[in-house]
């Protein structure tokens, strides 16, 4: 290859690099004559490379005469100082308009380190400000945002996590990077991954979504409600949008949503008590009224209800005997594996939750241990097969204990809580009044 060929190839390569830049670029030799002018500079100002190259400075064509010397001096001063110099100038376009540009200029060293010229990169100020705002916004989201921000790659693994999100996950920011979501969430991971995959395929949803998740952390598993927004990230450098991942923005709204759920539950249960009272008032038989109350109480609360009453004493006893309970009713009726209502005592073993509730004159909650078969656990307590959670409370009327009321839930439902015990005690008080009236 000849020297001419090498120079020609180098010039073509330099021209291609300059024209492919996103920023406008021009270069001056040591005398201030323009030597390079790329396509972005032509787009901004309208002057072609043929019209710009060879001119000395911007005087008389790309800047006002009053500003020409000041602009020239500030640009060429970059030869004398190290580093880059940033300035803002008002330049003239070919059609006579004015454009405010921000320039970054630096000296070009020649042989022996002597100044050989200056290169100057410039862009419209509003475009530069937009870029700076975008960078500042991304930095603020990653550091100071009051909501969690997680950038997830196309493999659905966290790539960037801000400080708020790291606190929500209960871990350090770097610890979360690259880990599967299944290692971070105990529950809700399928719903979250499904939402992320939908955003990658279809784009962001029109409105935020609320997801309940269980977060694994040093203090254990915490159930939280996140209000989530999703944004699909695409590369701005590709001709066609190439997905880079999804930006997940979320706020923890657990307390607010839990308060709403508690209020709705309390409203529903109060309405059920009201409806049960109206229906029971139409029953001539008090025992029928008690059964009606049980049916209303089960709605949205439990799968089964059992009513056991104390066996009446047929003769006075001098020493206290263990209490024996008779099955009075079961709702729904006809449960397999349960004793039928009648005069045969239910074979509850010592320490049975129903007997504990009777002794305490209060409520007792219990659940099947993890890993223990529900059928064996329920069968040993004389409860229907599949029962996993129980709430036993005492039936009291006119200062006397009449028996017990037991509510049962299956394994797919949560265990009974204190609020459930308060509701069960309210139902038990009304059922006890009906039973007392029936016994008279």
């Amino acid at each position: 290859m000849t020297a001419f060929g090498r120079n020609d190839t180098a010039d073509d390569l330099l021209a291609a690099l300059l024209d492919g830049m996103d920023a406008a670029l021009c270069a001056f030799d040591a005398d201030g004559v323009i030597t390079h002018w790329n396509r972005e500079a032509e787009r901004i100002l309208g002057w072609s490379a043929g019209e710009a190259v060879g001119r000395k400075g911007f005087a008389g064509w790309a800047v006002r005469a009053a500003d020409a010397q000041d602009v020239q001096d500030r640009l060429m001063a970059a030869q004398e100082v190290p580093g880059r110099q940033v300035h803002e100038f008002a330049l003239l376009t070919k059609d006579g308009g004015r454009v405010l540009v921000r320039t970054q200029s630096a000296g070009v060293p020649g042989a022996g380190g002597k100044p050989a010229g200056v290169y100057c990169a410039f862009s419209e100020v509003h475009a530069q400000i937009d870029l700076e705002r975008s960078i500042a916004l991304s930095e603020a989201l990653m550091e100071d945002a009051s909501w969690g921000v997680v950038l997830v790659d196309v493999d659905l693994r966290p790539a960037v996590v801000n400080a708020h999100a790291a606190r929500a996950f209960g871990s350090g920011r770097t610890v979360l990077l690259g880990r599967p979501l299944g290692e971070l969430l105990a529950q809700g991971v399928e719903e979250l991954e499904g939402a992320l995959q939908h955003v990658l395929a279809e784009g962001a949803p029109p409105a935020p979504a609320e997801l309940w998740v269980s977060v694994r952390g040093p203090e254990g598993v915490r159930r939280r409600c996140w209000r989530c927004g999703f944004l699909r990230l695409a590369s701005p450098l590709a001709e066609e949008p190439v997905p880079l991942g999804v930006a997940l923005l979320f706020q923890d709204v657990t307390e607010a949503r839990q308060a709403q759920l508690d209020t709705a539950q309390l409203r529903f249960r109060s309405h059920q008590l009201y409806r049960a009272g109206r229906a029971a008032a139409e029953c001539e038989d008090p025992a029928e009224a008690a059964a009606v109350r049980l049916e209303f109480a089960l709605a949205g609360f439990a799968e089964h209800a059992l009513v056991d009453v104390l066996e009446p004493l047929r003769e006075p006893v001098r020493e206290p005997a263990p209490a024996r309970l008779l099955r009075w009713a079961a709702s729904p009726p006809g449960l397999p594996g349960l004793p039928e209502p009648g005069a045969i005592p239910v074979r509850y073993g010592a320490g049975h939750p129903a007997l504990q509730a009777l002794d305490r004159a209060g409520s007792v909650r219990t659940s099947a241990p993890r890993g223990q078969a529900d059928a064996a656990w329920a069968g040993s307590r004389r409860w229907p097969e599949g029962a996993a959670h129980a709430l036993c409370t005492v039936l009291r009327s006119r200062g006397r204990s009449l028996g017990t009321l037991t509510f049962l839930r299956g394994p797919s439902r949560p265990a009974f809580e204190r609020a459930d015990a308060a509701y069960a005690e309210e139902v038990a008080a009304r059922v006890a009044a009906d039973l007392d009236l029936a016994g008279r």
Side-chain angles (χ1 to χ4, degrees), residues 54 63 143 154 168 212 279 367 431:
V63 71
E143 297 295 337
V154 292
W212 283 91
S367 296
V431 171

Side-chain angles (χ1 to χ4, degrees), residues 62-87:
V63 71
R64 294 191 311 172
D67 301 330
Q69 189 61 45
D70 178 63
V71 171
Q72 186 74 4
D73 292 342
R74 292 165 72 180
L75 286 176
M76 299 308 295
Q79 296 184 105
E80 310 298 333
V81 294
R84 293 178 297 174
Q85 305 296 310
V86 178
H87 303 287

